[in-house]
Amino acid sequence: MKLYEYMAKGVLRENGVPVPPGRLARTPEEAEAAARSLGPCVVKAQVLVGGRGKAGGVKPAQTPEEARSRAGEILGMNLKGCVVETVYVESMLGIDRELYLGITMDNAAKRPLLIASASGGMEIEEVPERAIVRQPVPVEWGLMPYATRWVAHRLGLSGDLARQFGEIALKLYEIFRRYDAELVEINPLAVAGDRLVAADARLNVDDDALYRHPDLPRTSEATELEKRVRELGLAYVELDGDIAVMANGAGITMATLDVLQRYGGRPMNFLDAGGGAAAGPMAEALKVLVSTRPKAIFVNIFGGITRCDDVAQAVITARREVGISMPMVVRLVGTNEEKGVEMLRGEGIQAYRSMEEAAARAVELARAGEGVEG
Ligand code: GDP
Ligand code: MN
């Protein structure tokens, strides 16, 4: 789970890492009020994607009126598929230099890794390898003060800045461990006069450890539609092709995506009805797939606990209730197969037995429907 910048900064602040004062705003008026109490500020889009600065989601404002205008520009903006609903208005820093500091899990080495650079900020992706300092952390001992001093030295920091850097790195490591983080990152870690301040923050927590952190706020990257389908107890993920997919079980769902790709098709989304879904929720799920207006729908079922007649019933119900205007290909084998196939035949739908054949047909129909209003 990713936390929004303002939430991550809340955690940093509680744990003693210096962050600028800031306030959350949902409207331009709230941003103006925030700026009135903060002075010159930066208005920052709160979305769960990086690179906001380059995309126009971070803007300075000298006056409250300016903060209102900037918030007006940023609120409602679409940043890499995320619509901005809140901005964080933060006291402006006079930034002299931008460092990078992050801690992540090095999965190959099976231990935490501290990463730092003297050239942080928005161009972090362009920083050459030799300008990046990597300090593995032996998890039995944790991050040792001498290791942070060595990193500070390699970043060219000395005196009090080096001391502050060491303190921040140790606190960041404490946060990393305490919150079962996959990543905790400060970019830029700003040198502002004689102080180091976290100008931006990220905190990604391991989903499997969330139950240990009831104190943390919850966020979700799911789209509205994804949330709606998940409420039906089904797994649904949006992709960017044009064939909607319904299958039952994670393995067969992934295989369905692969086989479509192999025949030159592009999945638009997929819905994993799981094992043993009832006809009712499956029909609701199919209706959702129809509403995404794909070029074709591919239903791929290997009936084990899921019964083929329930799947057939779901298809029939969805057709009756909303109509299915786009081509649909159904592959149906397994438990109660004959009954399911028979039910579909009664509706004029021919079910396939072979997954390859069915996938090839779905791709063909999606192509034929290209450019045609569905
Ligand atoms: P990101 O692009 O999503 O990583 O967003 P950041 O919060 O890192 O902001 C992008 C850039 O805006 C930073 O690299 C800074 O150069 C600049 N920036 C952010 N906050 C401040 C601030 O308080 N003062 C100044 N002068 N610049 C800031
Ligand atoms: Mn940043």
mmCIF file of all heavy atoms in Angstrom, residues 204-247:
data_model
loop_
_atom_site.group_PDB
_atom_site.id
_atom_site.type_symbol
_atom_site.label_atom_id
_atom_site.label_comp_id
_atom_site.label_asym_id
_atom_site.label_seq_id
_atom_site.Cartn_x
_atom_site.Cartn_y
_atom_site.Cartn_z
ATOM 1 N N ASN A 204 5.802 3.158 1.218
ATOM 2 C CA ASN A 204 5.015 2.030 0.710
ATOM 3 C C ASN A 204 5.116 0.894 1.717
ATOM 4 O O ASN A 204 6.224 0.466 2.067
ATOM 5 C CB ASN A 204 5.549 1.526 -0.634
ATOM 6 C CG ASN A 204 5.539 2.607 -1.712
ATOM 7 O OD1 ASN A 204 5.024 3.696 -1.502
ATOM 8 N ND2 ASN A 204 6.114 2.291 -2.854
ATOM 9 N N VAL A 205 3.961 0.425 2.179
ATOM 10 C CA VAL A 205 3.931 -0.603 3.217
ATOM 11 C C VAL A 205 3.549 -1.950 2.598
ATOM 12 O O VAL A 205 2.684 -2.019 1.727
ATOM 13 C CB VAL A 205 2.914 -0.207 4.315
ATOM 14 C CG1 VAL A 205 2.827 -1.265 5.395
ATOM 15 C CG2 VAL A 205 3.303 1.140 4.916
ATOM 16 N N ASP A 206 4.201 -2.985 3.044
ATOM 17 C CA ASP A 206 3.903 -4.342 2.592
ATOM 18 C C ASP A 206 2.433 -4.671 2.893
ATOM 19 O O ASP A 206 2.010 -4.635 4.044
ATOM 20 C CB ASP A 206 4.830 -5.307 3.350
ATOM 21 C CG ASP A 206 4.690 -6.744 2.881
ATOM 22 O OD1 ASP A 206 3.663 -7.073 2.240
ATOM 23 O OD2 ASP A 206 5.602 -7.534 3.179
ATOM 24 N N ASP A 207 1.657 -4.982 1.860
ATOM 25 C CA ASP A 207 0.229 -5.270 2.045
ATOM 26 C C ASP A 207 -0.007 -6.390 3.054
ATOM 27 O O ASP A 207 -0.965 -6.354 3.815
ATOM 28 C CB ASP A 207 -0.417 -5.705 0.715
ATOM 29 C CG ASP A 207 -0.601 -4.526 -0.225
ATOM 30 O OD1 ASP A 207 -0.661 -3.377 0.272
ATOM 31 O OD2 ASP A 207 -0.675 -4.748 -1.447
ATOM 32 N N ASP A 208 0.861 -7.383 3.037
ATOM 33 C CA ASP A 208 0.664 -8.530 3.920
ATOM 34 C C ASP A 208 0.918 -8.191 5.379
ATOM 35 O O ASP A 208 0.611 -8.997 6.263
ATOM 36 C CB ASP A 208 1.580 -9.690 3.489
ATOM 37 C CG ASP A 208 1.141 -10.259 2.148
ATOM 38 O OD1 ASP A 208 -0.083 -10.275 1.897
ATOM 39 O OD2 ASP A 208 2.000 -10.679 1.357
ATOM 40 N N ALA A 209 1.504 -7.024 5.638
ATOM 41 C CA ALA A 209 1.780 -6.639 7.026
ATOM 42 C C ALA A 209 0.804 -5.576 7.514
ATOM 43 O O ALA A 209 0.897 -5.122 8.650
ATOM 44 C CB ALA A 209 3.213 -6.118 7.142
ATOM 45 N N LEU A 210 -0.158 -5.210 6.667
ATOM 46 C CA LEU A 210 -1.053 -4.103 7.037
ATOM 47 C C LEU A 210 -1.826 -4.365 8.335
ATOM 48 O O LEU A 210 -2.105 -3.444 9.088
ATOM 49 C CB LEU A 210 -2.035 -3.799 5.904
ATOM 50 C CG LEU A 210 -1.457 -2.926 4.785
ATOM 51 C CD1 LEU A 210 -2.483 -2.765 3.677
ATOM 52 C CD2 LEU A 210 -1.044 -1.570 5.323
ATOM 53 N N TYR A 211 -2.154 -5.651 8.562
ATOM 54 C CA TYR A 211 -2.921 -5.963 9.774
ATOM 55 C C TYR A 211 -2.167 -5.573 11.042
ATOM 56 O O TYR A 211 -2.743 -5.400 12.100
ATOM 57 C CB TYR A 211 -3.275 -7.460 9.795
ATOM 58 C CG TYR A 211 -2.109 -8.361 10.100
ATOM 59 C CD1 TYR A 211 -1.892 -8.809 11.403
ATOM 60 C CD2 TYR A 211 -1.203 -8.732 9.109
ATOM 61 C CE1 TYR A 211 -0.809 -9.625 11.699
ATOM 62 C CE2 TYR A 211 -0.123 -9.548 9.398
ATOM 63 C CZ TYR A 211 0.071 -9.987 10.693
ATOM 64 O OH TYR A 211 1.150 -10.779 10.985
ATOM 65 N N ARG A 212 -0.850 -5.424 10.910
ATOM 66 C CA ARG A 212 -0.062 -5.022 12.093
ATOM 67 C C ARG A 212 -0.062 -3.518 12.292
ATOM 68 O O ARG A 212 0.547 -3.014 13.233
ATOM 69 C CB ARG A 212 1.393 -5.493 11.923
ATOM 70 C CG ARG A 212 1.466 -6.977 11.665
ATOM 71 C CD ARG A 212 2.725 -7.583 12.128
ATOM 72 N NE ARG A 212 3.949 -7.081 11.528
ATOM 73 C CZ ARG A 212 5.117 -7.662 11.714
ATOM 74 N NH1 ARG A 212 5.196 -8.749 12.457
ATOM 75 N NH2 ARG A 212 6.184 -7.170 11.153
ATOM 76 N N HIS A 213 -0.713 -2.792 11.351
ATOM 77 C CA HIS A 213 -0.655 -1.336 11.421
ATOM 78 C C HIS A 213 -2.029 -0.682 11.337
ATOM 79 O O HIS A 213 -2.315 0.071 10.419
ATOM 80 C CB HIS A 213 0.258 -0.805 10.317
ATOM 81 C CG HIS A 213 1.608 -1.429 10.365
ATOM 82 N ND1 HIS A 213 2.513 -1.149 11.370
ATOM 83 C CD2 HIS A 213 2.177 -2.385 9.603
ATOM 84 C CE1 HIS A 213 3.595 -1.884 11.189
ATOM 85 N NE2 HIS A 213 3.415 -2.649 10.133
ATOM 86 N N PRO A 214 -2.880 -1.012 12.315
ATOM 87 C CA PRO A 214 -4.226 -0.427 12.308
ATOM 88 C C PRO A 214 -4.167 1.097 12.438
ATOM 89 O O PRO A 214 -5.122 1.781 12.085
ATOM 90 C CB PRO A 214 -4.901 -1.067 13.528
ATOM 91 C CG PRO A 214 -3.789 -1.520 14.404
ATOM 92 C CD PRO A 214 -2.643 -1.855 13.496
ATOM 93 N N ASP A 215 -3.049 1.615 12.934
ATOM 94 C CA ASP A 215 -2.892 3.060 13.123
ATOM 95 C C ASP A 215 -2.672 3.799 11.800
ATOM 96 O O ASP A 215 -2.921 4.988 11.705
ATOM 97 C CB ASP A 215 -1.705 3.323 14.059
ATOM 98 C CG ASP A 215 -0.438 2.594 13.591
ATOM 99 O OD1 ASP A 215 -0.559 1.403 13.203
ATOM 100 O OD2 ASP A 215 0.649 3.195 13.601
ATOM 101 N N LEU A 216 -2.207 3.093 10.773
ATOM 102 C CA LEU A 216 -1.930 3.775 9.495
ATOM 103 C C LEU A 216 -3.215 4.032 8.732
ATOM 104 O O LEU A 216 -4.123 3.206 8.738
ATOM 105 C CB LEU A 216 -1.023 2.916 8.611
ATOM 106 C CG LEU A 216 0.471 2.871 8.913
ATOM 107 C CD1 LEU A 216 1.158 1.965 7.896
ATOM 108 C CD2 LEU A 216 1.089 4.267 8.893
ATOM 109 N N PRO A 217 -3.296 5.183 8.018
ATOM 110 C CA PRO A 217 -4.453 5.402 7.153
ATOM 111 C C PRO A 217 -4.411 4.420 5.988
ATOM 112 O O PRO A 217 -3.349 3.885 5.667
ATOM 113 C CB PRO A 217 -4.268 6.837 6.656
ATOM 114 C CG PRO A 217 -2.825 7.141 6.853
ATOM 115 C CD PRO A 217 -2.334 6.268 7.968
ATOM 116 N N ARG A 218 -5.570 4.148 5.394
ATOM 117 C CA ARG A 218 -5.631 3.216 4.260
ATOM 118 C C ARG A 218 -5.830 3.982 2.953
ATOM 119 O O ARG A 218 -6.569 4.962 2.907
ATOM 120 C CB ARG A 218 -6.798 2.232 4.431
ATOM 121 C CG ARG A 218 -6.635 1.296 5.638
ATOM 122 C CD ARG A 218 -5.367 0.482 5.502
ATOM 123 N NE ARG A 218 -5.277 -0.651 6.422
ATOM 124 C CZ ARG A 218 -4.524 -0.690 7.520
ATOM 125 N NH1 ARG A 218 -3.831 0.352 7.898
ATOM 126 N NH2 ARG A 218 -4.475 -1.794 8.252
ATOM 127 N N THR A 219 -5.165 3.526 1.906
ATOM 128 C CA THR A 219 -5.357 4.132 0.591
ATOM 129 C C THR A 219 -5.623 3.015 -0.412
ATOM 130 O O THR A 219 -5.362 1.854 -0.131
ATOM 131 C CB THR A 219 -4.092 4.877 0.117
ATOM 132 O OG1 THR A 219 -3.057 3.907 -0.096
ATOM 133 C CG2 THR A 219 -3.634 5.910 1.114
ATOM 134 N N SER A 220 -6.154 3.383 -1.567
ATOM 135 C CA SER A 220 -6.406 2.391 -2.602
ATOM 136 C C SER A 220 -6.119 2.993 -3.962
ATOM 137 O O SER A 220 -6.470 4.132 -4.241
ATOM 138 C CB SER A 220 -7.859 1.943 -2.532
ATOM 139 O OG SER A 220 -8.198 1.280 -3.726
ATOM 140 N N GLU A 221 -5.456 2.207 -4.812
ATOM 141 C CA GLU A 221 -5.159 2.674 -6.162
ATOM 142 C C GLU A 221 -6.225 2.222 -7.151
ATOM 143 O O GLU A 221 -6.109 2.466 -8.335
ATOM 144 C CB GLU A 221 -3.796 2.123 -6.606
ATOM 145 C CG GLU A 221 -2.643 2.766 -5.875
ATOM 146 C CD GLU A 221 -1.322 2.157 -6.294
ATOM 147 O OE1 GLU A 221 -0.801 2.562 -7.338
ATOM 148 O OE2 GLU A 221 -0.830 1.272 -5.581
ATOM 149 N N ALA A 222 -7.252 1.530 -6.635
ATOM 150 C CA ALA A 222 -8.271 0.981 -7.535
ATOM 151 C C ALA A 222 -9.111 2.078 -8.175
ATOM 152 O O ALA A 222 -9.385 3.103 -7.548
ATOM 153 C CB ALA A 222 -9.169 0.034 -6.760
ATOM 154 N N THR A 223 -9.529 1.874 -9.417
ATOM 155 C CA THR A 223 -10.455 2.811 -10.072
ATOM 156 C C THR A 223 -11.850 2.559 -9.492
ATOM 157 O O THR A 223 -12.079 1.557 -8.812
ATOM 158 C CB THR A 223 -10.510 2.571 -11.587
ATOM 159 O OG1 THR A 223 -11.072 1.270 -11.814
ATOM 160 C CG2 THR A 223 -9.127 2.633 -12.221
ATOM 161 N N GLU A 224 -12.794 3.458 -9.788
ATOM 162 C CA GLU A 224 -14.162 3.322 -9.297
ATOM 163 C C GLU A 224 -14.750 1.964 -9.691
ATOM 164 O O GLU A 224 -15.368 1.274 -8.895
ATOM 165 C CB GLU A 224 -15.043 4.443 -9.853
ATOM 166 C CG GLU A 224 -14.825 5.775 -9.154
ATOM 167 C CD GLU A 224 -14.872 5.644 -7.635
ATOM 168 O OE1 GLU A 224 -15.842 5.061 -7.120
ATOM 169 O OE2 GLU A 224 -13.922 6.099 -6.953
ATOM 170 N N LEU A 225 -14.526 1.600 -10.951
ATOM 171 C CA LEU A 225 -15.073 0.347 -11.464
ATOM 172 C C LEU A 225 -14.427 -0.845 -10.755
ATOM 173 O O LEU A 225 -15.099 -1.804 -10.382
ATOM 174 C CB LEU A 225 -14.831 0.280 -12.977
ATOM 175 C CG LEU A 225 -15.778 -0.610 -13.760
ATOM 176 C CD1 LEU A 225 -17.222 -0.207 -13.503
ATOM 177 C CD2 LEU A 225 -15.470 -0.515 -15.259
ATOM 178 N N GLU A 226 -13.123 -0.768 -10.565
ATOM 179 C CA GLU A 226 -12.420 -1.848 -9.863
ATOM 180 C C GLU A 226 -13.001 -2.033 -8.457
ATOM 181 O O GLU A 226 -13.227 -3.147 -8.010
ATOM 182 C CB GLU A 226 -10.915 -1.567 -9.812
ATOM 183 C CG GLU A 226 -10.217 -1.822 -11.140
ATOM 184 C CD GLU A 226 -8.753 -1.383 -11.174
ATOM 185 O OE1 GLU A 226 -8.335 -0.576 -10.316
ATOM 186 O OE2 GLU A 226 -8.031 -1.842 -12.062
ATOM 187 N N LYS A 227 -13.283 -0.902 -7.802
ATOM 188 C CA LYS A 227 -13.855 -0.999 -6.452
ATOM 189 C C LYS A 227 -15.231 -1.653 -6.498
ATOM 190 O O LYS A 227 -15.546 -2.498 -5.657
ATOM 191 C CB LYS A 227 -13.980 0.403 -5.832
ATOM 192 C CG LYS A 227 -12.649 0.979 -5.406
ATOM 193 C CD LYS A 227 -12.840 2.332 -4.736
ATOM 194 C CE LYS A 227 -11.536 3.095 -4.709
ATOM 195 N NZ LYS A 227 -11.724 4.544 -4.605
ATOM 196 N N ARG A 228 -16.046 -1.267 -7.508
ATOM 197 C CA ARG A 228 -17.408 -1.801 -7.604
ATOM 198 C C ARG A 228 -17.393 -3.318 -7.785
ATOM 199 O O ARG A 228 -18.149 -4.030 -7.135
ATOM 200 C CB ARG A 228 -18.121 -1.143 -8.790
ATOM 201 C CG ARG A 228 -19.486 -0.603 -8.428
ATOM 202 C CD ARG A 228 -20.079 0.197 -9.571
ATOM 203 N NE ARG A 228 -20.628 -0.651 -10.611
ATOM 204 C CZ ARG A 228 -20.803 -0.252 -11.866
ATOM 205 N NH1 ARG A 228 -20.469 0.964 -12.231
ATOM 206 N NH2 ARG A 228 -21.331 -1.067 -12.752
ATOM 207 N N VAL A 229 -16.524 -3.793 -8.661
ATOM 208 C CA VAL A 229 -16.486 -5.231 -8.917
ATOM 209 C C VAL A 229 -15.921 -5.970 -7.709
ATOM 210 O O VAL A 229 -16.392 -7.053 -7.350
ATOM 211 C CB VAL A 229 -15.659 -5.554 -10.178
ATOM 212 C CG1 VAL A 229 -15.712 -7.035 -10.463
ATOM 213 C CG2 VAL A 229 -16.188 -4.777 -11.365
ATOM 214 N N ARG A 230 -14.939 -5.373 -7.070
ATOM 215 C CA ARG A 230 -14.351 -6.042 -5.906
ATOM 216 C C ARG A 230 -15.377 -6.176 -4.785
ATOM 217 O O ARG A 230 -15.320 -7.102 -3.989
ATOM 218 C CB ARG A 230 -13.106 -5.287 -5.442
ATOM 219 C CG ARG A 230 -11.959 -5.524 -6.411
ATOM 220 C CD ARG A 230 -10.742 -4.698 -6.108
ATOM 221 N NE ARG A 230 -9.820 -4.725 -7.235
ATOM 222 C CZ ARG A 230 -8.701 -4.014 -7.298
ATOM 223 N NH1 ARG A 230 -8.361 -3.228 -6.291
ATOM 224 N NH2 ARG A 230 -7.918 -4.089 -8.351
ATOM 225 N N GLU A 231 -16.334 -5.233 -4.739
ATOM 226 C CA GLU A 231 -17.400 -5.345 -3.741
ATOM 227 C C GLU A 231 -18.262 -6.582 -3.984
ATOM 228 O O GLU A 231 -18.899 -7.085 -3.063
ATOM 229 C CB GLU A 231 -18.259 -4.075 -3.727
ATOM 230 C CG GLU A 231 -17.654 -3.011 -2.815
ATOM 231 C CD GLU A 231 -18.204 -1.625 -3.067
ATOM 232 O OE1 GLU A 231 -19.295 -1.516 -3.658
ATOM 233 O OE2 GLU A 231 -17.523 -0.654 -2.680
ATOM 234 N N LEU A 232 -18.299 -7.045 -5.221
ATOM 235 C CA LEU A 232 -19.042 -8.279 -5.528
ATOM 236 C C LEU A 232 -18.238 -9.514 -5.113
ATOM 237 O O LEU A 232 -18.683 -10.645 -5.284
ATOM 238 C CB LEU A 232 -19.331 -8.372 -7.025
ATOM 239 C CG LEU A 232 -20.252 -7.324 -7.657
ATOM 240 C CD1 LEU A 232 -20.227 -7.436 -9.173
ATOM 241 C CD2 LEU A 232 -21.666 -7.502 -7.139
ATOM 242 N N GLY A 233 -17.029 -9.278 -4.603
ATOM 243 C CA GLY A 233 -16.185 -10.381 -4.161
ATOM 244 C C GLY A 233 -15.366 -10.977 -5.296
ATOM 245 O O GLY A 233 -14.867 -12.097 -5.191
ATOM 246 N N LEU A 234 -15.242 -10.235 -6.402
ATOM 247 C CA LEU A 234 -14.495 -10.740 -7.558
ATOM 248 C C LEU A 234 -13.274 -9.858 -7.790
ATOM 249 O O LEU A 234 -13.301 -8.670 -7.495
ATOM 250 C CB LEU A 234 -15.390 -10.712 -8.803
ATOM 251 C CG LEU A 234 -16.767 -11.391 -8.660
ATOM 252 C CD1 LEU A 234 -17.648 -11.070 -9.848
ATOM 253 C CD2 LEU A 234 -16.602 -12.895 -8.512
ATOM 254 N N ALA A 235 -12.222 -10.444 -8.327
ATOM 255 C CA ALA A 235 -11.017 -9.667 -8.612
ATOM 256 C C ALA A 235 -11.129 -9.077 -10.015
ATOM 257 O O ALA A 235 -11.442 -9.795 -10.962
ATOM 258 C CB ALA A 235 -9.792 -10.560 -8.518
ATOM 259 N N TYR A 236 -10.888 -7.789 -10.133
ATOM 260 C CA TYR A 236 -11.029 -7.125 -11.425
ATOM 261 C C TYR A 236 -9.895 -6.120 -11.606
ATOM 262 O O TYR A 236 -9.599 -5.351 -10.697
ATOM 263 C CB TYR A 236 -12.377 -6.400 -11.482
ATOM 264 C CG TYR A 236 -12.567 -5.535 -12.705
ATOM 265 C CD1 TYR A 236 -12.728 -6.109 -13.961
ATOM 266 C CD2 TYR A 236 -12.576 -4.143 -12.599
ATOM 267 C CE1 TYR A 236 -12.901 -5.318 -15.081
ATOM 268 C CE2 TYR A 236 -12.762 -3.345 -13.713
ATOM 269 C CZ TYR A 236 -12.928 -3.934 -14.954
ATOM 270 O OH TYR A 236 -13.096 -3.154 -16.064
ATOM 271 N N VAL A 237 -9.260 -6.165 -12.774
ATOM 272 C CA VAL A 237 -8.147 -5.255 -13.041
ATOM 273 C C VAL A 237 -8.301 -4.677 -14.441
ATOM 274 O O VAL A 237 -8.619 -5.403 -15.382
ATOM 275 C CB VAL A 237 -6.780 -5.984 -12.927
ATOM 276 C CG1 VAL A 237 -5.632 -5.061 -13.333
ATOM 277 C CG2 VAL A 237 -6.569 -6.494 -11.509
ATOM 278 N N GLU A 238 -8.091 -3.367 -14.576
ATOM 279 C CA GLU A 238 -8.191 -2.715 -15.880
ATOM 280 C C GLU A 238 -6.838 -2.700 -16.579
ATOM 281 O O GLU A 238 -5.814 -2.435 -15.953
ATOM 282 C CB GLU A 238 -8.727 -1.295 -15.703
ATOM 283 C CG GLU A 238 -10.172 -1.324 -15.271
ATOM 284 C CD GLU A 238 -10.770 0.059 -15.053
ATOM 285 O OE1 GLU A 238 -10.049 1.067 -15.179
ATOM 286 O OE2 GLU A 238 -11.973 0.102 -14.749
ATOM 287 N N LEU A 239 -6.853 -2.998 -17.865
ATOM 288 C CA LEU A 239 -5.643 -2.933 -18.685
ATOM 289 C C LEU A 239 -5.936 -1.961 -19.833
ATOM 290 O O LEU A 239 -6.892 -1.202 -19.743
ATOM 291 C CB LEU A 239 -5.292 -4.340 -19.200
ATOM 292 C CG LEU A 239 -5.114 -5.400 -18.103
ATOM 293 C CD1 LEU A 239 -5.098 -6.798 -18.689
ATOM 294 C CD2 LEU A 239 -3.829 -5.151 -17.329
ATOM 295 N N ASP A 240 -5.154 -1.975 -20.901
ATOM 296 C CA ASP A 240 -5.427 -0.947 -21.909
ATOM 297 C C ASP A 240 -5.700 -1.475 -23.322
ATOM 298 O O ASP A 240 -5.569 -0.738 -24.291
ATOM 299 C CB ASP A 240 -4.301 0.101 -21.916
ATOM 300 C CG ASP A 240 -2.962 -0.556 -22.100
ATOM 301 O OD1 ASP A 240 -2.940 -1.761 -22.415
ATOM 302 O OD2 ASP A 240 -1.935 0.129 -21.943
ATOM 303 N N GLY A 241 -6.114 -2.735 -23.454
ATOM 304 C CA GLY A 241 -6.450 -3.268 -24.778
ATOM 305 C C GLY A 241 -7.923 -3.127 -25.099
ATOM 306 O O GLY A 241 -8.565 -2.166 -24.671
ATOM 307 N N ASP A 242 -8.486 -4.084 -25.860
ATOM 308 C CA ASP A 242 -9.892 -3.949 -26.260
ATOM 309 C C ASP A 242 -10.727 -5.226 -26.117
ATOM 310 O O ASP A 242 -11.855 -5.270 -26.568
ATOM 311 C CB ASP A 242 -9.968 -3.412 -27.705
ATOM 312 C CG ASP A 242 -9.165 -4.262 -28.679
ATOM 313 O OD1 ASP A 242 -8.816 -5.402 -28.329
ATOM 314 O OD2 ASP A 242 -8.885 -3.778 -29.793
ATOM 315 N N ILE A 243 -10.160 -6.280 -25.493
ATOM 316 C CA ILE A 243 -10.941 -7.493 -25.265
ATOM 317 C C ILE A 243 -11.155 -7.682 -23.760
ATOM 318 O O ILE A 243 -10.194 -7.751 -22.990
ATOM 319 C CB ILE A 243 -10.226 -8.741 -25.843
ATOM 320 C CG1 ILE A 243 -9.976 -8.556 -27.352
ATOM 321 C CG2 ILE A 243 -11.054 -10.004 -25.581
ATOM 322 C CD1 ILE A 243 -9.178 -9.686 -27.985
ATOM 323 N N ALA A 244 -12.429 -7.745 -23.352
ATOM 324 C CA ALA A 244 -12.733 -7.972 -21.943
ATOM 325 C C ALA A 244 -12.647 -9.466 -21.648
ATOM 326 O O ALA A 244 -13.055 -10.284 -22.470
ATOM 327 C CB ALA A 244 -14.124 -7.441 -21.623
ATOM 328 N N VAL A 245 -12.108 -9.793 -20.474
ATOM 329 C CA VAL A 245 -11.857 -11.197 -20.135
ATOM 330 C C VAL A 245 -12.540 -11.575 -18.824
ATOM 331 O O VAL A 245 -12.430 -10.861 -17.834
ATOM 332 C CB VAL A 245 -10.335 -11.449 -19.985
ATOM 333 C CG1 VAL A 245 -10.068 -12.829 -19.402
ATOM 334 C CG2 VAL A 245 -9.625 -11.273 -21.318
ATOM 335 N N MET A 246 -13.256 -12.694 -18.851
ATOM 336 C CA MET A 246 -13.723 -13.256 -17.588
ATOM 337 C C MET A 246 -13.240 -14.700 -17.515
ATOM 338 O O MET A 246 -13.419 -15.470 -18.460
ATOM 339 C CB MET A 246 -15.235 -13.230 -17.463
ATOM 340 C CG MET A 246 -15.701 -13.772 -16.111
ATOM 341 S SD MET A 246 -17.439 -13.453 -15.780
ATOM 342 C CE MET A 246 -18.102 -15.070 -16.099
ATOM 343 N N ALA A 247 -12.606 -15.056 -16.423
ATOM 344 C CA ALA A 247 -12.134 -16.427 -16.246
ATOM 345 C C ALA A 247 -12.307 -16.782 -14.768
ATOM 346 O O ALA A 247 -12.747 -15.942 -13.974
ATOM 347 C CB ALA A 247 -10.683 -16.541 -16.680
#
